[in-house]
Structure formats: structure tokens, C-alpha cells
Amino acid sequence: MTWSYGYFTDLNYIHGYNRDMNPAMLRLACLCQAIQPQLSEEPTYLELGFGQGLSINIHAAGSAGSYWGTDFNPAQTVEARKLGLASGANLRLFDDSFEELASRNDLPDFDVIALHGIWSWISEANQKVITDIIRRKLRPGGIVYVSYNCLPGWAPVIPIRALMSLYKEFGEARMSGPLGMIEGALQFSGEVARAGSIYFQENPIAGLHLEQLMKQERAYLAHEYLNADWHLGHFSDMARSLGDAKLTFVGSARLLDGMDTLQLTDEGRKLVSQIGHPIMRETVRDYLLNRRFRSDIFVKGARKMSGSEHRDAWHSLAFVLSTPLADIPKKIPLGRGEVELPADKYDPILEALSDDKYRPKGVDELLKHPKLRGFKPQDVVEALMVLTGAGFTAPAQEPSKKVLEQCKALNGHILDRARVSLDLHHMASPVTGGGISLPHIAQLFVLAMRDGKTGPDALANHVWELLDGISERLVKDGERIESKDESLKELRGSAVKFLKFGRPLLEALQIIESADISGSPFEAYQ
């Protein structure tokens, strides 16, 4: 067996960012379940299988804690270390296997151990090594974040993965290189579907799934479908595995997943409410939603909060918009389809959070806001849970000088990289301690401002020059725009929207500096 242990390494993983792994979001997820989050402002954090390392680098920059991680693909470790060197954050990143990491004698005890997706793609032996690391190195009160593929959602499409994996092993390459092999596996699966396959005829969802695969990033597909190991199980299997490490299931890291009023039908809610055992109850939820992916939080020694403790903890929090008000939709996608957010319940809170140039606001301040007269505390808390779960708001912190410097340095590196690369789509906010989605064109607008450009025309011209310099073009309705005049027209329209809606929010999130803000945006909150 080679050093990769059957894990697909011919293509590096995508540069994805996972907000659920942000310590602030982990604290909030525990709080939503009335579990006391034993997580300090300076956590000792371990990420297993960090991929390209964007998440761990953003979270390390946004925190005063100590961050450790391993990914046994050395090429990905090199990339992750570049980001760490740029920010100067407290990071120790290795290319150790899990077994090698477990044998290190310099590992501290951790407040958080996080692994995103990797559990589904490794051998049972490695799963046992991870469980042992958690058992030995997670502090009492510590949090484990684990996301993984699960049943029953994957059940109808398991044969597609098997078909693609067999093509990798036995098929004749139709094009050269790993990308060609992936394209060949997709094409071959499509040919099987079109050849009168009864499997595809009797499982129409399989055909729809294959169509979706054709549109996804090939690097992601390679890691999802072409590893030697690929394990699927029920939630109960995960709970049993981590139970051996003295862990208790708390809830989903994805806040919306645990909100039965949004996710389930009346009949589903009634059924779930009658199930006493938490593992059985959670498994039935998976069946009701046909869930194929879970993001779970387990705690070593979970402590339930009293009513007053729970209330006081919520009232001590501050929140900030993480999406421009103009971009927040009226409906959100959920397991049973789109759900509309009632305007009378959510719009006043969104408007209050957008007041005073998007300044972060404490829960107590929101409760006293003129636009929220008549709102009960529970109404505000529930709305904030939904809005944060949907990605429109985020818990806010007052950043230290160190965090401000780290995020500024990391964002400077990301912006410089945006001159020649389109692979990073997030920047670090010292206010949220996490990443904020920022498309490539918006990053180039920030670059233009950093280079002294002001106004829509100046921004549009500067961005056009940057794009033209790397032979990149805008895409509209699936078509490349080759004309300079048409490109400038599109860029100017985008620049107008960015200056009106995007820039004020980025200033409040302290991703970019504002000449209009003196001191901390938290001053009014304090």
C-alpha cells in the first residue's frame, strides 16, 4: 500500500470553507441545545484532514487560540502553510497520517477536534485511530465536530459510486490524466444509463443525481467518489462509535437541521415528539428528510444549562449581518423544499441589524430597538437562530489587536492572490472570527479600492485591466463576454451595487477599513 492508503491524491481538494467549524458557531450550536459550551476565547483546536487549509487558517486568524491540524497530502499541507505564514496566526500544520499524529508526544489536550467529510472516505482502521485520538486528547467539556455521508439519503445512488469506482480500477482511460479519468467515469456511467438500464429506469433519482454530478467540480468528485474506502452508515453508527470515547450527541452544527418547525410536516413533528430516546429520534428525523449528509456536534461531558443560565447566555451575545441586506432572499431552501420567512417576523430584525452601518448589536440592544417593539425575547432569539442558520447573520466578537492584525494580513494575501487566481472565495472577518463569502469580482473591487480607486467607473476600469492581464473574461448567461465595452458596462453595474451594499457590510465586518468609523464598531454595544 502506498502512502496515500487508497485515498485519491492525484487531484488536490477544492478550496472550500466551512463556517460550521468556526468556534463561535460551535458555541452557538451548543447554546441552541441549552448545552453549556465549554469553549474559551482562546481555544486549542485540532482539525483532522484540513484539505487546502482555508477553514483552519481563517479560524486561526480570527482567534487568539492555538490551531493544530494534519492532512497527509503534502501538496495540500504546503498550500495551507502558505496561508498560515501570511497571517502569522498560531498554527502547527503537518502532513502526518492519523496514525502518525496519534503517536506524536507533543500534542496538547484539545478544546475542539473537528473533521469535515473525512470520516466517510477513510478505512475502518483509521476511524478507530481517530476515535482513539478523541478519547485521549479531547478535554472534558470539549467539542467534536464531525460531518459525514449518511443513510438513508445515499441508499438509492450507491451503485453510481460503485460504477465510477470500478471504472477507475478497470476501465480504459479515454483521456489522459486524473481529470480525464473522472470525465471517463462520468461518461461511462451516462452510457450505462442510456443503454436501457433498468436500475436507472426504476430509480429516477439516480438519473437526476448523475445529471447533478456532471455539473460539479471534478476535484470534489474525485475525493467523494474515487477513494478506495467509502463508508456509509446511519447516525446511530456514528453515535455508537463516539460513545466509546465518552462523547454525548448534542445536536447539528447546521442550526436549521434541528428546527423541526421548519423542517418537518405536522405529522412528522407529532411522530418525533413521541420518541423518547435521542438516538432513535434523530434517526427518524433522517428518514423523514431522507438525509444524506450530517454535521454533528458531540461533547465530552455535556452539561445542560438551567433556564436562567440559558437566557443570560443568549442575552450576552451580539450579532452582525454577514450578507448585505439587499441580497437576503425571502425564502430559504430546506429538506422539504423552500420555506418563506414571514416578513413581519424577520424583516424588522434584519433592518435593525442593518442600522448604523451594519454595526454589531447585542441581543439586549435588539430587544430595545424601536423596530422590535412588541417582540418577545423568545421571538428575537428564534429569529436569530434561523437567520444565522441560513447564513445571513453571525455571532459577533470584539476582536483583539492580535486578531485584527492576523485577519488583515491573511486578507491581504488573499487579495494579492486574487490578481492571478480564482480559487479562494472567502475572506476573514475579525468580527465573526470566521470567513465571509466574497466572489472574485468583489475581491477585485476591494483590490481596486486598496490601490486608491474610488467610484464605479474607476473600480470597473481597474478590474477590467486586472482581468484582461490574466486573459480572464466575465460570464453572463453562460457566455463569455469578449467585448471591452460590454465588460465595462457589466463591471460598472456590479461596482455600483458593491459600493452601495457590499462595502458598508465589509467595513462593519472589518474586512476592509473605513475612514468613517473611528474606534471599535462595538462601542455603542458596550
Side-chain angles (χ1 to χ4, degrees):
M1 182 69 73
T2 66
W3 64 268
S4 66
Y5 294 91
Y7 192 85
F8 191 92
T9 56
D10 292 339
L11 285 175
N12 286 339
Y13 196 55
I14 57 176
H15 290 78
Y17 170 73
N18 187 346
R19 70 191 288 265
D20 296 330
M21 298 167 77
N22 180 352
M25 290 297 295
L26 296 176
R27 292 187 196 97
L28 185 64
C30 288
L31 187 60
C32 287
Q33 302 299 325
I35 296 297
Q36 186 176 36
Q38 303 285 328
L39 187 53
S40 73
E41 298 300 320
E42 299 184 11
T44 305
Y45 190 115
L46 171 65
E47 183 174 347
L48 300 173
F50 53 68
Q52 297 286 2
L54 184 59
S55 293
I56 192 171
N57 271 283
I58 285 179
H59 298 148
S63 166
S66 169
Y67 284 74
W68 297 60
T70 192
D71 191 290
F72 76 161
N73 186 333
Q76 294 181 170
T77 302
V78 168
E79 286 299 305
R81 285 177 173 174
K82 286 181 182 178
L83 296 175
L85 287 172
S87 71
N90 188 354
L91 276 156
R92 296 191 66 180
L93 303 177
F94 312 109
D95 66 341
D96 291 346
S97 69
F98 298 132
E99 188 174 4
E100 290 168 337
L101 184 77
S103 66
R104 296 183 70 100
N105 57 16
D106 59 346
L107 292 182
D109 289 339
F110 294 101
D111 299 300
V112 176
I113 297 179
L115 49 155
H116 175 55
I118 203 75
W119 184 270
S120 303
W121 303 339
I122 58 176
S123 67
E124 291 184 10
N126 269 315
Q127 289 177 346
K128 290 179 179 178
V129 171
I130 288 175
T131 303
D132 179 64
I133 292 172
I134 292 171
R135 183 185 58 79
R136 292 187 299 106
K137 302 308 297 182
L138 185 70
R139 288 176 177 151
I143 293 172
V144 166
Y145 166 92
V146 55
S147 62
Y148 54 101
N149 295 327
C150 67
L151 296 169
W154 270 101
V157 296
I158 290 174
I160 294 178
R161 189 267 174 184
L163 197 60
M164 292 177 64
S165 183
L166 285 171
Y167 180 89
K168 173 194 171 188
E169 188 172 358
F170 302 119
E172 296 181 4
R174 303 187 178 189
M175 291 177 258
S176 61
L179 283 174
M181 185 268 294
I182 297 165
E183 292 296 338
L186 289 170
Q187 291 172 19
F188 180 70
S189 300
E191 289 172 6
V192 172
R194 292 187 294 273
S197 165
I198 296 177
Y199 160 70
F200 280 98
Q201 291 174 10
E202 294 185 353
N203 295 275
I205 192 173
L208 293 174
H209 183 72
L210 187 57
E211 290 178 11
Q212 293 171 352
L213 294 186
M214 299 291 185
K215 303 173 184 177
Q216 291 184 310
E217 288 189 54
R218 294 333 189 216
Y220 165 77
L221 294 180
H223 290 258
E224 179 67 82
Y225 286 83
L226 301 179
N227 294 310
D229 292 292
W230 199 65
H231 296 282
L232 293 173
H234 293 279
F235 161 74
S236 56
D237 299 317
M238 179 61 73
R240 193 174 297 112
S241 294
L242 295 187
D244 293 340
K246 301 183 179 180
L247 299 184
T248 301
F249 174 68
V250 168
S252 177
R254 297 183 173 186
L255 303 187
L256 295 180
D257 284 358
M259 297 181 183
D260 290 349
T261 54
L262 293 176
Q263 296 281 9
L264 304 181
T265 63
D266 291 341
E267 294 83 359
R269 290 196 296 275
K270 181 179 179 181
L271 174 62
V272 166
S273 68
Q274 296 170 348
I275 301 173
H277 198 284
I279 293 180
M280 186 66 177
R281 184 167 58 245
E282 197 65 23
T283 300
V284 170
R285 283 195 181 104
D286 287 349
Y287 274 82
L288 292 174
L289 293 168
N290 197 32
R291 196 168 274 149
R292 68 168 57 174
F293 189 79
R294 293 186 59 93
S295 299
D296 290 341
I297 291 178
F298 290 80
V299 170
K300 188 176 187 178
R303 176 187 174 275
K304 199 78 173 178
M305 303 173 77
S306 68
S308 59
E309 286 177 319
H310 195 208
R311 182 193 63 239
D312 292 347
W314 268 103
H315 285 229
S316 70
L317 295 181
F319 286 82
V320 66
L321 283 178
S322 53
T323 302
L325 187 61
D327 292 340
I328 296 177
K330 299 299 182 182
K331 296 180 179 181
I332 56 175
L334 295 172
R336 62 186 178 96
E338 285 192 328
V339 173
E340 187 167 359
L341 299 178
D344 60 337
K345 183 175 180 180
Y346 291 94
D347 285 2
I349 293 178
L350 290 170
E351 291 168 6
L353 285 168
S354 69
D355 282 354
D356 196 12
K357 299 179 180 178
Y358 293 102
R359 176 182 55 78
K361 298 171 183 68
V363 171
D364 279 341
E365 181 183 353
L366 288 172
L367 290 171
K368 298 172 185 175
H369 198 284
K371 292 178 180 176
L372 300 182
R373 287 188 184 129
F375 277 63
K376 297 177 181 178
Q378 188 61 27
D379 296 333
V380 174
V381 167
E382 288 180 358
L384 288 170
M385 286 169 59
V386 172
L387 294 171
T388 303
F392 307 145
T393 62
Q397 63 183 9
E398 182 171 14
S400 65
K401 181 181 178 181
K402 182 177 189 294
V403 166
L404 287 168
E405 291 172 349
Q406 289 173 172
C407 288
K408 182 178 181 179
L410 178 59
N411 288 336
H413 175 82
I414 292 172
L415 288 175
D416 288 336
R417 188 162 166 166
R419 295 180 187 273
V420 295
S421 173
L422 287 72
D423 55 3
L424 300 182
H425 306 118
H426 292 80
M427 295 180 69
S429 167
V431 173
T432 69
I436 299 297
S437 176
L438 204 63
H440 185 241
I441 293 300
Q443 291 183 26
L444 295 183
F445 286 148
V446 175
L447 257 178
M449 293 171 56
R450 196 179 74 174
D451 291 343
K453 309 301 179 185
T454 58
D457 290 322
L459 263 62
N461 279 291
H462 194 70
V463 170
W464 163 254
E465 291 173 3
L466 291 171
L467 292 175
D468 193 46
I470 58 174
S471 299
E472 185 61 41
R473 292 293 182 266
L474 299 177
V475 175
K476 183 178 182 181
D477 299 328
E479 300 289 333
R480 279 170 58 96
I481 301 176
E482 299 294 346
S483 164
K484 177 180 178 179
D485 290 341
E486 190 176 351
S487 296
L488 286 172
K489 180 182 177 182
E490 290 293 325
L491 286 170
R492 189 186 188 282
S494 296
V496 168
K497 183 179 179 182
F498 172 78
L499 291 171
K500 184 176 181 181
F501 300 111
R503 180 174 67 177
L505 181 60
L506 294 180
E507 290 173 346
L509 294 167
Q510 299 196 54
I511 291 175
I512 60 177
E513 296 180 1
S514 170
D516 300 326
I517 297 179
S518 57
S520 167
F522 279 81
E523 285 177 354
Y525 165 52
Q526 295 171 336

